Amino acid sequence: MLIDVTPLLLFRAKLYSLTVFIHCSRASQDRTIPLSTIAEQTRLSVEDVEYLLMKSLSAHLIEGIIDGVDGTVHVSWAQPRVLGIDQVKSLRDRLDTWVGKVHTTLLSVEAETPDLVAS
């Protein structure tokens, strides 16, 4: 008896594309994603995206909250994965941006509270 594994492979590919989309195209502070955007990226209908998200949540590939009223999902965590060279470069750029924001915040705090912060 032969089993057709094509639907399973397609579904796994959609799960993979969802996690890649979350990791690569969204900053950690911008993880509220419209279901329509995910539908475009995965080439699924919005109803199928909801099913994909529920499966991803139940398999602990992501953690988050689906808001059916607003048609969004807020992803608070995504399972780590191996990164390619381009993804490492993108991550480096995002970390450089973050370091700049932290430095700006430090300078602001030092300027506002010179007596509390020792240089």
Side-chain angles (χ1 to χ4, degrees):
M1 178 176 182
L2 293 176
I3 300 173
D4 184 15
V5 294
T6 305
L8 177 63
L9 291 175
L10 287 173
F11 184 74
R12 297 218 24 138
K14 298 296 182 183
L15 284 174
Y16 179 74
S17 68
L18 173 65
T19 57
V20 168
F21 173 70
I22 291 169
H23 278 293
C24 297
S25 66
R26 295 290 176 159
S28 60
Q29 64 271 20
D30 183 30
R31 291 263 175 97
T32 301
I33 308 167
L35 298 181
S36 59
T37 302
I38 296 171
E40 290 173 20
Q41 291 294 318
T42 58
R43 297 183 180 145
L44 293 171
S45 68
V46 173
E47 293 79 21
D48 290 338
V49 167
E50 290 178 8
Y51 178 75
L52 180 69
L53 288 169
M54 288 186 282
K55 285 294 196 178
S56 297
L57 288 164
S58 68
H60 301 289
L61 296 175
I62 63 172
E63 291 180 5
I65 299 169
I66 301 171
D67 186 342
V69 174
D70 289 340
T72 60
V73 60
H74 177 76
V75 180
S76 56
W77 178 85
Q79 185 176 34
R81 53 183 293 279
V82 176
L83 301 176
I85 296 297
D86 291 336
Q87 294 166 326
V88 170
K89 288 178 182 176
S90 173
L91 183 60
R92 181 194 63 206
D93 294 341
R94 290 170 53 187
L95 285 172
D96 287 343
T97 301
W98 178 78
V99 167
K101 288 179 181 179
V102 169
H103 184 70
T104 301
T105 302
L106 174 64
L107 293 177
S108 175
V109 168
E110 286 177 345
E112 294 292 325
T113 57
D115 297 335
L116 297 177
V117 180
S119 296

